[in-house]
Amino acid sequence: VQLVESGGGSVQVGGSLRLSCAASVDTSSHVFIGWFRQAPGKEREGVATIRTDGTTFYEDSVKGRFTVSQDNAKNVLYLQMSALKPDDTAVYYCGAGYVPGWLLLRGGAIFWGQGTQVTVS
């Protein structure tokens, strides 16, 4: 499993960014992919993921502001971030594992991308 994030950058408070995660996955693998972030001095936390049936899961602090979506044909996971706050400043990672939903977001990711920095000021 290879994961490559893109789309990070610096944005003003209240602004928007869209992150992309391009996944290279063996067709025989059944992995689930989600977004995670790690702020300075804090542990990495799960942010959002989407199940194969389209059910989405969000960490409480991003609900209503972030939207996770996927393009199955292209194997790309997106994270549209709006109404950004300084507390959203972090390195955002794409993570993958063999469990979906909350199980993925809460310790189930075992494959990681290199991360992309998001800075809100």
Side-chain angles (χ1 to χ4, degrees):
V1 178
Q2 292 185 326
L3 305 167
V4 180
E5 304 95 336
S6 61
S10 296
V11 64
Q12 293 183 335
V13 172
S16 299
L17 280 175
R18 188 176 82 155
L19 305 183
S20 300
C21 172
S24 297
V25 180
D26 189 295
T27 53
S28 64
S29 297
H30 298 285
V31 296
F32 300 89
I33 304 174
W35 288 102
F36 301 76
R37 67 186 180 185
Q38 186 167 19
K42 295 186 177 180
E43 293 186 355
R44 186 155 47 189
E45 64 174 357
V47 174
T49 188
I50 183 167
R51 224 164 48 183
T52 51
D53 64 359
T55 304
T56 54
F57 302 82
Y58 296 98
E59 191 264 332
D60 284 347
S61 69
V62 307
K63 283 181 182 177
R65 301 187 298 120
F66 290 11
T67 302
V68 61
S69 61
Q70 60 188 8
D71 183 330
N72 290 324
K74 296 181 180 179
N75 273 352
V76 179
L77 185 74
Y78 300 100
L79 186 68
Q80 177 67 47
M81 305 186 294
S82 303
L84 284 161
K85 306 175 181 179
D87 284 349
D88 296 318
T89 295
V91 177
Y92 283 71
Y93 295 91
C94 199
Y98 296 109
V99 289
W102 293 120
L103 292 175
L104 177 70
L105 294 180
R106 295 170 178 171
I110 58 174
F111 304 102
W112 297 99
Q114 82 287 354
T116 186
Q117 177 70 46
V118 171
T119 303
V120 185
S121 59

